[in-house]
């Protein structure tokens, strides 16, 4: 059994002006209290308890969590805003008719019970699990948006049965030209093009340059946060469609293990100067993490494989081919297909071992990768370290025979 954790962001229903002002004042009080704790040493902070803040109107559960947050974030010099937060023992969920509400004691002498809005049907299912005891409630955080809307952020965790490997795999190839390409073993595919992302990256890059030239560094930071939020939303939508596509075709999901790709793959200066092509701005891991946790809830099996040769091998005959732009060419079977589709097809139909290659690779007809002739050509009888070297040795031998 796997443990799935989800945070629900639910707005309060018809929150009146008095409660809004109350929440704002207590959030301001909580932030000042945390900033006062940051002035102390870490050892002094950890030794504090709620008895040191008897004059504060906040309840002890909220004060304890503020002390924990200030001790955990030792590198922070000052909190701009620290939301009110409490653990799972100090709030309760209620349901009257079709309306859900949360009760919590924000102050020492008064308990609040505030109704909340539920927009999505999946949120209703999760809240019903809390009421029935199938899910365990976590912490509660009161957050105010920039538009002045107050939300209750609820952490919920529940056990999910382990996903079974059906033997069928949906290959998902991630690239910068196509954010993701999903292909089933039968060839059914789903493309997620990166046109919107490239336009987004370049527009924010132009705005950052203008703001940096004027010395408005705070505005640049806010702009970067806005760009990250929009990119996370796009990845959420893509991950949701990929998991639903895999569930519909009764497949598991196979991803390439792209760990360390930013360090291992070289980039030209011209490429790095363009935010739409720069690999440093490629949010491949964010998409991977979202696919994994959504697949966990949907009970879809997810695994990662070695990405070597997935884009260079023909998905039909297994021979090394040539990639030019978006197309893949195979001289053996005279085949021309989309390169990302071909890579995803290799992942779906030739799923190998976790630490091995993800596809069957045929270097030459009748010649294995570790055949004796290849071994003898290596330095001190060691195998050659690339396929290119093998091809060069073949050309070199042919030229020698012609000269003789």
């Amino acid at each position: 059994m796997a443990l799935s954790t989800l945070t629900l962001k639910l707005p309060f229903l018809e929150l009146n002006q008095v409660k809004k002002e109350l929440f704002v004042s207590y959030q301001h009080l909580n932030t000042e209290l945390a900033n006062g704790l940051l002035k102390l040493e870490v050892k002094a902070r950890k030794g504090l308890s709620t008895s040191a803040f008897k004059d504060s109107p906040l309840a002890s559960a909220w004060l304890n969590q503020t002390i924990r947050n200030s001790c955990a974030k030792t590198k922070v010099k000052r909190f701009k805003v620290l939301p009110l937060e409490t653990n799972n023992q100090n709030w309760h969920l209620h349901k009257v008719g079709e309306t859900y509400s949360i009760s919590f004691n924000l102050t020492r002498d008064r308990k609040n019970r505030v109704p909340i809005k539920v927009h999505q049907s999946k949120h209703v299912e999760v809240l019903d699990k809390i009421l029935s005891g199938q899910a365990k409630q976590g912490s509660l955080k009161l957050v105010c948006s920039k538009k002045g809307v107050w939300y209750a952020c609820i952490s919920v965790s529940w056990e999910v049965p382990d996903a079974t490997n059906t033997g069928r795999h949906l290959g998902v190839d991630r690239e910068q030209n196509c954010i993701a390409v999903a292909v089933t073993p039968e060839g059914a595919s789903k493309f997620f093009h990166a046109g919107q992302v490239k336009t987004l990256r370049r527009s924010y890059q132009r705005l950052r340059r203008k703001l940096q030239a004027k010395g408005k560094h705070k505005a640049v930071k806010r702009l970067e946060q806005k760009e990250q939020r929009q990119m996370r939303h796009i990845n959420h939508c893509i991950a949701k469609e990929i998991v639903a596509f895999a569930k519909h075709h009764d497949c598991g999901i196979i991803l390439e293990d792209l760990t360390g790709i930013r360090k291992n793959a070289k980039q030209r200066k011209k490429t790095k100067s363009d935010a739409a092509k720069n690999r440093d701005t490629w949010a491949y891991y964010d998409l991977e993490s979202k696919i994994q946790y959504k697949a966990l809830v949907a009970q879809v099996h997810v695994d990662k494989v070695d990405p070597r040769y997935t884009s260079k091998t023909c998905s039909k005959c297994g021979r090394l081919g040539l990639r030019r732009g978006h197309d893949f060419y195979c001289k053996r079977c005279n085949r021309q297909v989309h390169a990302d589709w071909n890579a995803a097809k290799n992942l779906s139909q030739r799923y190998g071992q976790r630490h091995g290659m993800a596809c069957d690779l045929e270097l030459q007809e009748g010649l294995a990768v570790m055949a004796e002739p290849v071994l003898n050509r290596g330095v001190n009888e060691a195998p050659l370290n690339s396929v290119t070297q093998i091809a060069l040795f073949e050309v070199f031998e042919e030229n020698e025979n012609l000269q003789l």
Side-chain angles (χ1 to χ4, degrees), residues 2-27:
L3 187 66
S4 176
T5 304
L6 186 67
T7 300
L8 306 182
K9 189 176 180 181
L10 306 170
F12 288 109
L13 177 64
E14 298 178 359
L15 195 65
N16 56 38
Q17 191 64 28
V18 176
K19 288 184 178 179
K20 285 183 181 180
E21 293 176 357
L22 184 67
F23 287 171
V24 170
S25 62
Y26 283 133
Q27 181 177 260

Side-chain angles (χ1 to χ4, degrees), residues 122-303:
K122 65 176 183 179
H123 290 173
V124 174
E125 296 176 2
V126 176
L127 294 176
D128 289 337
K129 285 182 179 179
I130 296 176
L131 294 172
S132 62
Q134 298 177 5
K136 183 181 179 181
Q137 64 185 41
S139 61
L140 168 67
K141 186 183 291 186
L142 305 182
V143 179
C144 182
S145 67
K146 293 181 179 180
K147 296 182 180 180
V149 181
W150 281 91
Y151 294 87
C153 295
I154 303 169
S155 176
V156 187
S157 58
W158 67 94
E159 291 186 346
V160 179
D162 295 330
T164 57
N165 193 347
T166 60
R168 293 167 47 80
H169 305 98
L170 179 75
V172 179
D173 181 69
R174 289 166 290 168
E175 289 283 349
Q176 289 180 278
N177 294 323
C178 285
I179 301 177
V181 178
V183 180
T184 64
E186 294 78 20
S189 60
K190 202 173 185 67
F191 283 77
F192 301 92
H193 297 284
Q196 179 186 0
V197 174
K198 288 183 177 182
T199 304
L200 181 73
R201 296 289 193 193
R202 285 175 178 148
S203 62
Y204 279 110
Q205 185 182 30
R206 288 193 295 268
L207 288 173
R208 278 196 300 271
R209 285 175 179 172
K210 292 179 182 179
L211 293 172
Q212 286 171 351
K214 296 179 181 180
K216 297 182 179 181
H217 302 293
K218 290 185 178 179
V220 171
K221 189 174 181 180
R222 289 196 298 268
L223 200 68
E224 289 177 350
Q225 293 173 352
K226 185 177 180 181
E227 181 182 1
Q228 290 174 5
R229 288 195 301 270
Q230 292 186 2
M231 195 62 228
R232 285 198 297 267
H233 173 71
I234 293 172
N235 284 339
H236 265 298
C237 297
I238 294 174
K240 183 179 179 180
E241 290 192 36
I242 288 174
V243 173
F245 189 62
K247 188 82 172 176
H248 176 71
H249 289 276
D250 193 24
C251 295
I253 297 176
I254 302 301
L255 302 170
E256 293 176 308
D257 189 0
L258 301 178
T259 305
I261 190 172
R262 290 194 178 99
K263 296 180 181 179
N264 300 332
K266 296 181 180 180
Q267 296 185 85
R268 297 178 181 178
K269 290 184 179 180
K270 186 177 180 180
T271 305
K272 293 194 73 173
S273 62
D274 188 356
K277 298 179 180 179
N278 189 357
R279 197 171 290 112
D280 296 335
T281 61
W282 183 20
Y284 70 92
Y285 181 74
D286 182 66
L287 177 61
E288 178 183 313
S289 61
K290 287 175 172 53
I291 290 174
Q292 286 178 338
Y293 95 81
K294 290 179 186 294
L296 179 65
V297 177
Q299 298 181 26
V300 175
H301 177 73
V302 179
D303 205 349

Side-chain angles (χ1 to χ4, degrees), residues 374-389:
V374 179
L375 289 172
N376 294 335
R377 293 169 185 158
V379 179
N380 296 328
E381 298 184 354
L384 300 173
N385 56 4
S386 69
V387 179
T388 308
Q389 285 180 298

